[in-house]
Amino acid sequence: MTKLDLPQEDARKLMLSGVALVVIDVRTPAEFAAGHIPNAVNIELDAIVSGNIPEALADKSAKYLLYCRSGRRSGIAARYLHDHGWEDVVNFGGILDWPYEIER
């Protein structure tokens, strides 16, 4: 684990803590529609790494928790955002390993 990685249990605790944060799912819209973490925002990895940053990621000082299918794409997105000035962005892995609720 790097400083950009967070165990899923810790990510879940943060989501329930009331701390202001945004959960970002970097999978495709079709993957997102098939099932996602409640309250997650879908922003594809390609949009992030192309520099086409949407409003949901506008605040570089906000707390962002990223995930994807397995953790690979969200790791790439977290590294990109961190390297481009986002202050509090972490990858908590993939929905394949998420033991908590999923919205469909």
Side-chain angles (χ1 to χ4, degrees):
M1 276 197 163
T2 71
K3 68 179 182 163
L4 296 178
D5 294 319
L6 184 70
Q8 289 189 337
E9 181 179 328
D10 293 346
R12 176 70 175 152
K13 287 177 186 172
L14 269 175
M15 289 176 203
L16 296 174
S17 72
V19 169
L21 56 83
V22 181
V23 178
I24 306 287
D25 182 325
V26 303
R27 298 175 302 153
T28 66
E31 288 174 302
F32 183 81
H36 57 273
I37 293 171
N39 302 312
V41 177
N42 185 214
I43 303 173
E44 280 189 88
L45 172 62
D46 290 346
I48 294 170
V49 298
S50 70
N52 185 17
I53 305 297
E55 187 66 29
L57 282 167
D59 183 355
K60 288 188 174 186
S61 64
K63 178 179 283 299
Y64 297 102
L65 278 59
L66 282 63
Y67 76 96
C68 62
R69 181 178 165 275
S70 68
R72 186 187 69 78
R73 286 176 282 179
S74 51
I76 293 167
R79 170 59 56 199
Y80 177 91
L81 292 169
H82 178 266
D83 290 351
H84 287 84
W86 274 258
E87 299 168 13
D88 194 356
V89 57
V90 293
N91 168 31
F92 67 93
I95 199 166
L96 289 177
D97 299 322
W98 185 250
Y100 310 104
E101 71 275 3
I102 293 174
E103 260 180 24
R104 298 193 194 285

